[in-house]
């Protein structure tokens, strides 16, 4: 059985990807420093998939640990999630982000090189497109200079991989995620709240659960159908499955690096998301319209032709499913 190392595999997207890799027949080893996750997630993954995971609690920046695990296991490939992701925090503490997100990648590439592991999937983001002039964005849409140190770490990560791949034998797929939301349909794994959410869907579910008093929608005077911002929301399970498709594709790659947008191809306004939540979960949400928020892009959504054609990947879940699963997950963690 092919063995995959998943860094940050107890986190939000990582945990869902571990489940999908296991159900596709891969053996999974996770390294996670529990900075934004808990060990309990391991038991939950095992309960969903019915398969065990080898968990190493440690930091990807720790060369000694990385060497030890690459020596111990014969990895077929690596999926690299371990990173910090809070845009606001990155503005306050850029060094923390450069150190973890950029140095972590470099340490990982070093370990892969020393141990002859070639296949890598890297978590990138649509943030690299900034305010795109033409929509939907394709993989050829120009990269813009980032709006935050977090965004910078994704651009630098992509550049390091592209440069490294010119000189060394590596097969890397850069997946540019749009807006991952929702949770596993079992409601056993999902996004763990970390303070006041800055993302829409956790804010919606926390408001519905009474943890937040009211959702404030940041601006309704944008040039969109109802004046609120447009994003391309993607169910985290669909996103997880894209990683499995990418890992399968690694062997067939003709270039050393390939890039795929991972979104649905459909943009939804903030009000459409709220409406989908209200309809599917049969609840009224307490919200009001507030002023625009600095740094928000008016609209962005993906052209998904490439991932649909090349990786033969399609989404299975719609916006209503995303809202329902996010709500089931919120209810399960609120009960604790
Ligand atoms: N969630 C999103 O909206 C989104 C969008 C685009 C890209 N991404 C990227 O996807 C990846 C995963 O995101 P997520 O939402 O699952 O985040 P997450 O915080 O839920 O998961 C990251 C996991 O990595 C672990 N981790 C962090 N630094 C580590 C280190 N140095 N060593 C070992 N483990 C470490 C954390 O404990 C956590 O379990 C990140 O690289 C993120 O930048 C996320």
């Amino acid at each position: 059985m092919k063995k995959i190392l998943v860094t940050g595999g107890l986190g939000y997207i990582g945990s869902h990807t571990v489940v999908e890799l296991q159900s596709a027949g891969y053996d999974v080893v996770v390294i996670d420093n529990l900075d934004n996750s808990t060990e309990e997630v391991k038991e939950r993954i095992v309960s969903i998939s019915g398969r065990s995971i080898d968990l190493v609690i440690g930091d990807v920046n720790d060369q000694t640990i990385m060497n030890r695990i690459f020596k111990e296991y014969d990895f077929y490939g690596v999926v690299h999630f371990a990173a910090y992701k809070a845009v606001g925090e990155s503005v306050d503490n850029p060094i923390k982000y450069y150190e973890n997100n950029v140095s972590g990648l470099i340490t990982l590439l070093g370990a892969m090189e020393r141990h002859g592991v070639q296949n890598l999937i890297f978590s990138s983001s649509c943030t690299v497109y900034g305010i795109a002039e033409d929509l939907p964005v394709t993989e050829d849409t120009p990269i813009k200079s980032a709006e935050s140190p977090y965004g910078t770490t994704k651009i630098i990560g992509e550049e390091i991989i592209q440069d490294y791949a010119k000189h060394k034998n590596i097969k890397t797929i850069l997946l540019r995620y749009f807006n991952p939301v929702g949770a596993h349909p079992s409601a056993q794994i999902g996004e763990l709240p970390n303070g006041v959410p800055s993302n829409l869907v956790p804010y919606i579910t926390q408001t519905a659960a009474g943890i937040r008093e009211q959702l404030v929608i940041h601006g309704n005077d944008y040039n969109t159908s109802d004046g609120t911002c447009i994003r391309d929301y993607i169910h985290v399970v669909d996103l997880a499955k894209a990683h499995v498709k990418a890992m399968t594709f690694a062997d067939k790659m003709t270039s050393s690096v390939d890039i795929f947008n991972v979104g649905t191809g459909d943009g939804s306004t903030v009000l459409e998301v709220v409406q989908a939540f209200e309809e599917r979960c049969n609840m009224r949400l307490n919200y009001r319209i507030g002023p625009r928020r600095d740094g928000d892009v008016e609209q962005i959504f993906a052209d998904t032709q490439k991932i649909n054609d090349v990786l033969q990947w399609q989404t299975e879940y719609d916006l209503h499913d995303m809202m329902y699963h996010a709500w089931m997950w919120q209810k399960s963690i609120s009960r604790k």
Side-chain angles (χ1 to χ4, degrees), residues 71-336:
K71 222 185 227 163
E72 186 176 341
Y73 300 99
D74 181 16
F75 292 123
Y76 171 75
V78 180
V79 187
H80 182 46
F81 293 108
Y84 296 139
K85 61 167 178 179
V87 172
E89 184 191 45
S90 80
V91 173
D92 295 336
N93 198 347
I95 298 291
K96 177 177 172 181
Y97 276 69
Y98 307 148
E99 269 175 2
N100 199 36
N101 297 9
V102 181
S103 302
L105 171 66
I106 294 167
T107 309
L108 171 67
L109 287 173
M112 289 177 66
E113 182 177 325
R114 278 189 298 279
H115 297 273
V117 179
Q118 283 181 5
N119 302 329
L120 172 66
I121 298 172
F122 176 71
S123 297
S124 190
S125 165
C126 69
T127 191
V128 301
Y129 297 120
I131 302 172
E133 270 146 39
D134 297 313
L135 291 169
V137 288
T138 72
E139 290 78 359
D140 296 325
T141 297
I143 301 289
K144 294 270 177 63
S145 92
E147 301 280 324
S148 70
Y150 166 73
T152 304
T153 66
K154 291 298 169 194
I155 294 174
I156 292 176
E158 286 200 2
E159 277 178 1
I160 287 174
I161 288 169
Q162 308 236 34
D163 188 58
Y164 180 76
K166 283 187 210 148
H167 312 289
K168 296 285 177 179
N169 210 0
I170 188 168
K171 299 278 181 202
T172 302
I173 294 181
L174 311 178
L175 294 182
R176 291 181 180 154
Y177 312 155
F178 279 65
N179 287 67
V181 296
H184 196 268
S186 67
Q188 293 208 63
I189 51 173
E191 189 166 16
L192 285 171
N194 188 3
V196 180
S198 49
N199 291 339
L200 176 63
V201 176
Y203 213 107
I204 288 178
T205 57
Q206 289 196 7
T207 305
I211 299 166
R212 311 278 154 215
E213 199 185 325
Q214 189 178 49
L215 168 74
V216 179
I217 294 177
H218 301 292
N220 67 347
D221 56 352
Y222 289 97
N223 186 23
T224 61
S225 60
D226 59 28
T228 61
C229 289
I230 292 179
R231 297 285 177 277
D232 185 340
Y233 296 93
I234 170 154
H235 196 295
V236 65
V237 171
D238 282 328
L239 174 59
K241 288 181 176 167
H243 294 77
V244 178
K245 291 280 190 180
M247 195 51 87
T248 316
F249 179 69
D251 267 348
K252 297 179 222 140
M253 278 170 76
T254 48
S255 59
S256 50
V257 183
D258 216 338
I259 305 176
F260 297 94
N261 285 339
V262 199
T264 62
D266 284 325
S268 304
T269 68
V270 177
L271 285 172
E272 284 165 352
V273 175
V274 169
Q275 193 186 356
F277 179 83
E278 291 187 329
E279 278 170 14
R280 182 63 184 84
C281 303
N282 209 9
M283 296 177 77
R284 278 259 153 264
L285 198 72
N286 181 14
Y287 71 88
R288 70 176 169 85
I289 307 293
R292 287 184 180 202
R293 182 171 63 174
D294 277 352
D296 272 346
V297 171
E298 178 176 277
Q299 49 182 313
I300 186 157
F301 48 97
D303 182 314
T304 58
Q305 188 86 48
K306 186 174 173 194
I307 189 165
N308 297 153
D309 291 352
V310 180
L311 295 193
Q312 297 285 297
W313 169 90
Q314 303 284 344
T315 54
E316 288 165 27
Y317 293 106
D318 65 14
L319 194 58
H320 281 80
D321 302 320
M322 299 178 211
M323 295 303 113
Y324 184 65
H325 294 149
W327 179 230
M328 291 297 107
W329 166 244
Q330 179 67 56
K331 287 209 290 190
S332 88
I333 49 175
S334 297
R335 271 198 297 273
K336 280 190 189 168

Side-chain angles (χ1 to χ4, degrees), residues 1-13:
M1 234 179 234
K2 288 173 178 161
K3 244 186 221 324
I4 307 293
L5 175 66
V6 180
T7 75
L10 298 187
Y12 175 44
I13 306 168

